[in-house]
């Protein structure tokens, strides 16, 4: 969405939310070619304490291609991830690396014939138990089209590179005067002046009345565990997308397994609709969901069995930020000049944060986003729907 550029670009930009989206927005504001602007970032707890620190960090060039608007965002982001990794030494700073990506159907009960066929497949990594595959694995992505980062390290690295002043405190409300943003009230600190404010608070954006009035953003709780295998050096860079039915008639599960260059292996899945708590630090995993992830990990590889020496590094949960139409919301809030929002990236926030941040920086500083067309993501798209529902 294009906005008419202000006479001069805003100088005081405040970003609320220290997840990957807030951090990338800070980075692209401060590295903007014509008007580099180092923002202030207000974070309630600590940078990357929520989904951005607990995600998988998987990146794909073309997995969003079925949705044209998202495809443009994802492709631009994938390219920016490569560029950022070259600029910020992403390989050692935050574990950026290309990965092979496989689809594996984990059988309900081990089937020796299927295991023999899987074992014969040249695609099956040596650390994956052939009995974990009901059929030979299928290739979903190559090292040209899929990659990964450690999401928490990535978020902190881009935030540090932005030079943003980080204020730890809770943003309570946006101050608006004469239809223009004037600042943000931070609990216990009072008003922080601003010419532009970015709300990157998913799924907590809905706590702001001005957001709630325009669109809904909800959270879907998802679980993950991080394990340190017995022999980390034997775990190859293969991301695994599993399908698994724990018992006949049970719901199909689709857990994901990401070995990391740190030697750790991250496994996620097990979603649940649940109210998002106020404090991101109080989010904990459900014991049943965590137990199921351990069971799946042990089925995939003996290297990931606790009883065979795998060390448990983390058992955690966080929320996927979801919107009513499944698309992120990126753009200026209708009726409030200078107030921008970036939220609802669902399961692709780590991938899509760089182009989101770059586009927002252009929108704020140039009045127009060039890297991606933001029209499909505009918050204004929800106005009609809300008024039809009489909300
Ligand atoms: C299990 C799981 C696995 C995932 N795996 C992947 C993956 O492999 N690849 C991928 O691309 N995406 C993945 N995602 C999605 C990705 O994690 C999210 O889309 C992304 O992290 C959202 O980032 P964000 O910056 O928008 O929000 P968040 O990371 O949630 O950050 C919001 C921040 O706002 C802060 N905050 C909240 N309220 C306030 C306030 N009032 N004032 C100040 N600060 C406040 C919070 O403390 C938090 O730090 C995964 C998500 C989950 C749940």
């Amino acid at each position: 969405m294009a906005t008419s550029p202000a006479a001069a670009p805003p100088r005081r930009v405040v970003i609320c939310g220290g997840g990957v989206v807030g951090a990338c927005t800070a980075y692209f504001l401060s590295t903007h070619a014509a008007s580099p602007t180092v923002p202030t970032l207000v974070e309630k707890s600590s940078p990357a304490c929520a989904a951005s620190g607990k995600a998988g960090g998987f990146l794909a060039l073309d997995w969003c291609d079925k949705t044209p608007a998202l495809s443009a965002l994802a492709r631009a982001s994938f390219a920016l991830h490569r560029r950022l990794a070259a600029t910020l030494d992403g390989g050692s700073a935050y574990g950026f690396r290309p990965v092979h990506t496989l689809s594996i159907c984990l059988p309900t009960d081990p089937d020796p014939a299927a295991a023999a066929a899987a074992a014969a497949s040249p695609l099956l990594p040596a650390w994956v138990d052939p009995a974990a595959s009901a059929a030979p694995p299928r290739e979903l992505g190559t090292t040209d089209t899929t990659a990964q980062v450690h999401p928490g390290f990535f978020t902190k690295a881009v935030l540090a590179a932005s030079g943003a002043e980080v204020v730890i405190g809770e943003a309570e409300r946006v101050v608006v005067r004469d239809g223009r943003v004037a600042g943000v009230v931070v609990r216990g600190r009072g008003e922080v002046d601003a010419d532009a404010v970015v709300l990157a608070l998913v799924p907590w954006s809905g706590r702001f009345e001005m957001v709630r009035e325009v669109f809904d953003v909800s959270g879907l709780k998802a679980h993950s565990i991080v394990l340190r295998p017995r022999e980390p050096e034997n775990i190859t860079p293969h991301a695994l997308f599993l399908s698994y039915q724990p018992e006949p008639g049970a719901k199909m599960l689709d857990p994901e397994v990401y070995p990391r260059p740190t030697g750790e292996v991250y496994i996620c899945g097990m979603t649940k609709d649940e109210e998002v708590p106020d404090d991101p630090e109080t989010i904990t995993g459900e014991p049943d969901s965590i137990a199921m992830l351990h069971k799946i990990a042990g089925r995939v590889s003996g290297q990931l069995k606790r009883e065979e020496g795998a060390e448990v590094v983390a058992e955690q949960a966080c929320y996927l930020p979801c919107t009513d139409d499944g698309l992120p919301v990126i753009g200026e809030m209708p009726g409030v000049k200078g107030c921008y929002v970036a939220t609802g990236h669902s399961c692709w926030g780590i991938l899509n944060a760089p182009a989101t941040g770059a586009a927002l920086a252009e929108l704020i500083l140039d009045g127009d986003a060039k890297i991606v067309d933001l029209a499909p993501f505009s918050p204004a798209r929800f106005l009609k729907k809300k008024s039809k529902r009489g909300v």
Side-chain angles (χ1 to χ4, degrees), residues 251-271:
K251 185 181 157 206
M252 285 300 291
L253 305 178
D254 46 9
E256 297 161 20
V257 180
Y258 304 121
R260 289 179 166 161
T262 53
E264 295 166 349
V265 178
Y266 170 99
I267 299 128
C268 69
M270 310 303 296
T271 53

Side-chain angles (χ1 to χ4, degrees), residues 55-58 64 256 258 320-322 326 344-352:
F58 178 73
C64 298
E256 297 161 20
Y258 304 121
L320 288 167
C322 307
H345 287 74
S346 186
C347 60
W348 287 117
I350 308 299
L351 169 65
N352 286 330

Side-chain angles (χ1 to χ4, degrees), residues 223-227 283-285 290-291 294 306 312-317:
H223 293 77
S224 56
I225 58 174
V226 182
L227 301 170
I283 301 167
T284 52
I290 297 293
H294 278 295
R306 281 176 293 186
V312 180
V313 178
E315 295 173 333
Q316 58 199 8

Side-chain angles (χ1 to χ4, degrees), residues 10 139 164 169 192 196 260 263 280 295 304 322 344:
E139 186 171 63
V192 179
R260 289 179 166 161
K295 178 179 172 186
L304 304 178
C322 307

Side-chain angles (χ1 to χ4, degrees), residues 35-51:
S35 315
T37 303
V38 179
T40 298
L41 185 142
V42 180
E43 162 56 46
K44 180 173 176 174
S45 180
S46 59
C49 67

Side-chain angles (χ1 to χ4, degrees), residues 56-215:
F58 178 73
L59 314 173
L61 170 71
D62 50 5
W63 288 27
C64 298
D65 278 359
K66 283 197 183 126
T67 312
L70 215 48
S71 166
L73 190 70
R75 284 176 173 268
S77 276
F78 195 80
L80 284 176
H81 267 292
R82 281 218 178 102
R83 215 176 79 194
L84 285 169
T87 309
L88 302 176
D89 190 18
S92 42
Y94 52 81
F96 174 87
R97 66 175 177 182
V99 292
H100 302 275
T101 303
L102 302 174
S103 160
I104 290 185
C105 177
L106 188 62
T108 306
D109 296 308
D111 171 352
S121 166
L123 287 179
L124 194 75
W127 55 274
V128 176
D129 184 348
S133 204
R138 218 162 36 84
E139 186 171 63
L140 295 178
T142 67
T143 49
D144 288 330
T145 61
T146 53
Q148 72 177 153
V149 293
H150 184 300
F153 294 167
F154 172 69
T155 302
K156 289 176 191 165
V158 283
L159 183 55
S162 78
E165 181 200 359
V166 177
V167 172
I168 299 299
E170 180 178 356
E172 287 188 314
R173 78 188 158 82
V174 176
V175 182
V176 181
R177 292 194 188 100
D178 302 325
R180 267 211 80 89
V181 146
V184 175
V185 174
V186 179
R187 185 185 291 259
R189 282 180 177 252
E191 190 174 324
V192 179
D193 294 339
D195 316 308
V197 169
V198 178
L199 299 177
L201 299 162
V202 286
W204 293 275
S205 318
R207 302 282 201 269
F208 280 65
E209 194 181 346
M210 66 155 61
V211 170
R212 232 175 21 245
E213 281 173 353
V214 179
F215 64 92

